[in-house]
Amino acid sequence: MWLRNMWLRPFETLPIFLFIVILVSATHGIAQASTVRFIGGEGETLAEVEFTLHQEIVYLPAETLKTVFDSEMTHPYDHPRKQLTLKTKGKELRLRMGNTTVKIDPGKQTFILNAPPLAIQGQPMLPIDFFKQILPHLDDVEVQYNHTLQRIRIMPKTVWATEIPDGTRDWIIIIDPGHGGEDDLGCKSQNGLFEKDVVLNVAKEIQKLSNQHGLSIRLTRDQDIKKTRIQRVQTTNRNQGQLFVSLHCNASFLPNHKGIRLYINNPNGQIRFKTTALPVLGKKRLNILTQVNFLKQSQDFASVLQKELNFLAENPIVISEFPLITLADVHMPAVLLELGYLSNIDDATRLSNPDHIAEIAEGIIRAIQKYSTSVNQSANLNGF
Ligand SMILES: [Zn+2]
């Protein structure tokens, strides 16, 4: 009866078809969200692997290692004994399902995972902690895990070396946390987070990390005080830095606007705020042009930074070029980094999380190291 009616009255059945289409795409969306994305050193996707959640812990099939770590790996699994042997990079790892101990030979090393490997539907599965904790002991790699976005980045250790590349010690990097003081709060989130505090937290975290990695960082302000643009520029140019990073947060009337954004000062770029930028431009054109001498370097650094921070971003970060008064008088390569939208609930939540602040700071330090190393290398090649 229902079928006959359906064919007789196609227009009435259209909503049912639409409902099915929506249902299918919705479930497809959920399926996509249950994968972990593996990312390589250059930000490229190595694999997208479906995970199983067991007691809120992410588990991945042991054979994932073959795709993302070592294609030569063998992983014989002894079903009755529930014992998994991984042979990779000249090492042999022995694991038992339900047991958190990992034994590695040669060397008789023992590691304790924070969750045991498990046989799920007869398949040996490894907890996410295995990837984070064990892989760096098997090869010269570093592993970064982003729980919120379910991403793992496996990159060569040399990128984030504890030893300082030649010449890097001479680099002075100026970090400029925007706003500050009682009357310049910047933008504000619904949960009471101020831009001036977020950017200062990130700046201080960068400074803390830089001490461990031999980079000289100067902050334009290290406490909650008001600084004019001129004062910031004076501090910056007096320190004769090699790189300038201005930190800000965004706000929008549209609550769904979110994400990290990068800006470079380019007077030929698209004007950022049509109504206010034009009169300022006329007066400041000469100053803006001086920063432009560093346009190429600013673009280079921005793209390194983009690659590093993309790991933390839901959507790929966009670099925009505008005439930017904030960077106009800065006589060195410079970028303006907007860490997220405080008007967006997701971004505001992330930016109030100290772990996320630390991840951002780490990403910025990585980018500085990578960029300074590449500049030093090309300087060496040119005989400077
Ligand atoms: Zn701002």
Side-chain angles (χ1 to χ4, degrees), residues 320-339:
S320 311
E321 299 193 10
F322 295 110
L324 285 178
I325 199 73
T326 327
L327 305 182
D329 302 305
V330 175
H331 299 286
M332 64 193 74
V335 299
L336 191 149
L337 174 62
E338 300 265 13
L339 302 165

Side-chain angles (χ1 to χ4, degrees), residues 178-179 184-187 195-196 199 247-250 336 338:
H179 313 279
D184 187 4
L185 313 170
C187 48
E195 179 182 359
K196 62 167 187 172
V199 294
L247 301 172
H248 286 263
C249 297
N250 252 323
L336 191 149
E338 300 265 13

Side-chain angles (χ1 to χ4, degrees), residues 155-174:
M155 65 201 123
K157 214 169 252 168
T158 42
V159 173
W160 182 233
T162 41
E163 62 198 70
I164 306 141
D166 280 349
T168 312
R169 204 179 274 279
D170 305 323
W171 278 60
I172 292 168
I173 290 98
I174 317 287

